[in-house]
Amino acid sequence: MSEPTNTPQNREWNDVDDVSWTLLKREELVDAYWAVIAPAMEADGLDSTQEKPTHSWLREHDFRPLLYTLREYHDITFGDFWSDDLGLKPEETGYNWATNHERTIEALESFLSSRRERKGLAESSIDTLRYRLNRYVNAYRDENETDDLVTPIARESDVPAYKAVDACWAAFDRLHDDLDGGQTKRRIHLAVSNWYAHLVRRKWAAINPADGLDDEFDWSNGNGGSDADTPCLDVEHVRALYQTATDAEERLLVLALCAWGLRPGEVARLHTRQFVLDPNDEDVPFITFEERKNGPGEVSLLYGREVLEDRLAAAADSDEWNGYLFPSPHASGGHISRWTVWNRFRQLADRAGLPETIDGENPSPKMGRRFWYDAYSSSLDVVLGSLDEIAAEQGSASADVVLQNYLSDTRARKLRREYMREQLTAAFEEVNS
């Protein structure tokens, strides 16, 4: 790294009002920085050669035009200018946030500093708080495909409040799917809600999008939301949902949850490039996932292929189609949110006349995924039962031994799929698919 360029070559600037920032070249911006900004920092007790001024400090001291000029006229961030053009060492926060957005990091660090200095939290508590915030930042980034968490809620933002809330809730939907244990989810929510509240008090934000979100989830002890604890739809429930569906999107919603066993977030993000409908070596069609809760994977399409192909063919004729199976109705494009999947499922469940509660819980998309798991488990039981006679003839201890030692993986998988397809056909019978 070069030595700091801390000797201004142009001395004509005496204060900020003398500088026409948008007219300056990169090297002239360096001169203006040392001639005007550095003295202002020193006057505030900051070391201009060691400390990087925050965006809020620059704004408070009327240096917003510099930020605008760097972004709009030179296509660089202030951080890049500070390290590359001024030749200074980038500020180390000591933590690898799941975002590179400077304003977001600044907002996160501001909250932690306030908790440390005003609340007197110990450093170990700060570390725990930082970790919980970062889990949220990571989920927000992955769910909304942006690492800018501040702009949507900023006081001067053009983003409608409901969209900012949707983005926050979508991140928590993802956390709700990915994490086990209600206590963990409650603690992350508390940290995030307190962070947003801090930004509202500081007048950095207009709203707290996490406010009241804990009322939307059941994060009580013992109800962490894992699949194993989720009640299951039965065959009549699934059939009622599918028969009530009035269009291709609603039918595909039921298929994706109950026949393909997908998580609500996976349903929301389904894209045409994920479907392999004509696989090689006589395999069944499948859906590919580059990233999943347990890593990359594939999900077999054992039922509903015709409905899917009809939907893809109809959508392909539209010039506005973006490739998502469930496109967003908003002009911004993209796909629907996981929360929209929940809402559409609940509306469909109401129309289908499903019980208000199933095993004490309101009908939810995760019950459709649980139905798939139960159908798969029963299919495996049927396969093992059909092998009992072979096990007896061979003198094997059990059907499990035959399945594991005498059947090839391909043959065993084929048997499971055959019985699984029968289970799904029974659930969707008397309905044209």
Side-chain angles (χ1 to χ4, degrees):
M1 181 174 294
S2 60
E3 291 297 318
T5 312
N6 54 8
T7 303
Q9 303 300 311
N10 190 327
R11 299 281 186 172
E12 63 179 313
W13 302 301
N14 296 315
D15 57 48
V16 64
D17 294 330
D18 291 337
V19 185
S20 299
W21 298 97
T22 58
L23 303 179
L24 302 183
K25 299 177 181 179
R26 289 272 286 269
E27 59 271 18
E28 292 174 325
L29 289 173
V30 171
D31 292 343
Y33 182 91
W34 290 116
V36 177
I37 297 180
M41 291 179 62
E42 299 291 342
D44 267 12
L46 301 176
D47 186 341
S48 61
T49 64
Q50 297 294 322
E51 298 181 71
K52 182 174 69 174
T54 65
H55 281 63
S56 59
W57 185 92
L58 291 168
R59 291 186 175 94
E60 290 169 1
H61 290 75
D62 298 324
F63 294 123
R64 185 191 296 266
L66 170 63
L67 300 175
Y68 173 81
T69 299
L70 292 172
R71 182 179 68 249
E72 299 296 331
Y73 287 82
H74 301 284
D75 194 28
I76 61 171
T77 66
F78 177 74
D80 290 337
F81 172 76
W82 195 79
S83 58
D84 297 343
D85 294 79
L86 300 179
L88 299 171
K89 184 178 180 181
E91 182 180 41
E92 296 290 343
T93 65
Y95 190 76
N96 184 25
W97 289 104
T99 172
N100 292 318
H101 185 254
E102 291 185 7
R103 181 67 167 161
T104 299
I105 294 176
E106 182 183 357
L108 291 163
E109 292 291 349
S110 169
F111 173 64
L112 295 177
S113 295
S114 177
R115 281 297 192 261
R116 181 187 294 110
E117 297 167 6
R118 297 187 177 95
K119 291 283 189 179
L121 292 188
E123 207 57 39
S124 59
S125 298
I126 295 295
D127 290 341
T128 300
L129 192 55
R130 184 185 291 111
Y131 171 78
R132 291 171 183 165
L133 289 171
N134 207 34
R135 289 300 300 263
Y136 170 72
V137 173
N138 187 72
Y140 188 102
R141 180 198 63 197
D142 291 346
E143 188 67 28
N144 298 294
E145 299 180 350
T146 177
D147 64 348
D148 178 1
L149 280 68
V150 174
T151 298
I153 58 169
R155 289 163 61 86
E156 68 276 10
S157 176
D158 295 329
V159 178
Y162 77 89
K163 286 190 175 182
V165 172
D166 283 350
C168 171
W169 286 28
F172 273 100
D173 286 335
R174 191 181 189 95
L175 288 170
H176 186 64
D177 259 359
D178 290 347
L179 296 176
D180 292 327
Q183 187 176 63
T184 298
K185 298 171 187 179
R186 288 199 310 275
R187 287 172 174 172
I188 292 177
H189 172 258
L190 180 61
V192 172
S193 185
N194 286 338
W195 173 56
Y196 280 126
H198 167 80
L199 298 183
V200 171
R201 290 192 296 271
R202 288 288 309 274
K203 309 304 180 185
W204 288 17
I207 61 170
N208 179 348
D211 187 28
L213 186 57
D214 51 340
D215 292 331
E216 299 292 329
F217 291 100
D218 182 8
W219 289 334
S220 57
N221 289 331
N223 188 5
S226 65
D227 290 326
D229 297 329
T230 302
C232 178
L233 297 178
D234 61 27
V235 171
E236 286 72 22
H237 295 150
V238 174
R239 188 179 301 134
L241 288 169
Y242 200 66
Q243 289 177 337
T244 303
T246 58
D247 56 31
E249 279 202 15
E250 285 192 340
R251 287 191 290 274
L252 282 171
L253 184 71
V254 180
L255 287 168
L257 294 167
C258 303
W260 306 342
L262 303 184
R263 300 178 177 90
E266 294 171 340
V267 174
R269 297 188 294 271
L270 281 173
H271 194 279
T272 180
R273 60 174 173 264
Q274 294 177 254
F275 294 96
V276 181
L277 300 181
D278 296 302
N280 299 323
D281 60 29
E282 300 182 356
D283 201 357
V284 300
F286 58 90
I287 313 171
T288 63
F289 293 89
E290 294 182 1
E291 293 185 7
R292 230 178 168 211
K293 182 176 180 180
N294 297 318
E298 298 177 357
V299 173
S300 298
L301 282 175
L302 301 178
Y303 194 88
R305 175 173 177 169
E306 294 82 2
V307 177
L308 172 64
E309 289 181 330
D310 289 345
R311 168 65 174 155
L312 294 178
D317 293 335
S318 172
D319 295 334
E320 299 178 355
W321 187 44
N322 57 13
Y324 287 109
L325 202 62
F326 300 98
S328 170
H330 303 301
S332 58
H335 54 77
I336 63 175
S337 69
R338 181 183 180 280
W339 191 248
T340 301
V341 172
W342 277 70
N343 282 338
R344 291 184 180 180
F345 179 89
R346 287 168 175 167
Q347 292 169 6
L348 183 59
D350 287 341
R351 286 164 36 211
L354 264 62
E356 290 188 8
T357 61
I358 298 174
D359 290 342
E361 292 190 23
N362 296 325
S364 69
K366 297 185 72 173
M367 292 183 182
R369 174 172 166 80
R370 185 63 184 170
F371 165 82
W372 183 92
Y373 267 109
D374 275 22
Y376 184 85
S377 298
S378 63
S379 298
L380 184 57
D381 290 339
V382 172
V383 172
L384 292 174
S386 68
L387 297 177
D388 283 338
E389 185 175 344
I390 299 176
E393 291 289 340
Q394 294 293 327
S396 299
S398 68
D400 291 285
V401 176
V402 176
L403 182 64
Q404 295 173 12
N405 298 334
Y406 294 96
L407 288 181
S408 67
D409 290 341
T410 300
R411 176 59 178 162
R413 184 168 59 250
K414 183 177 181 181
L415 286 173
R416 290 196 300 270
R417 286 173 173 172
E418 287 176 357
Y419 285 111
M420 181 65 174
R421 190 177 285 111
E422 290 180 7
Q423 292 281 317
L424 295 174
T425 300
F428 290 89
E429 67 182 358
E430 298 180 359
V431 181
N432 294 326
S433 60

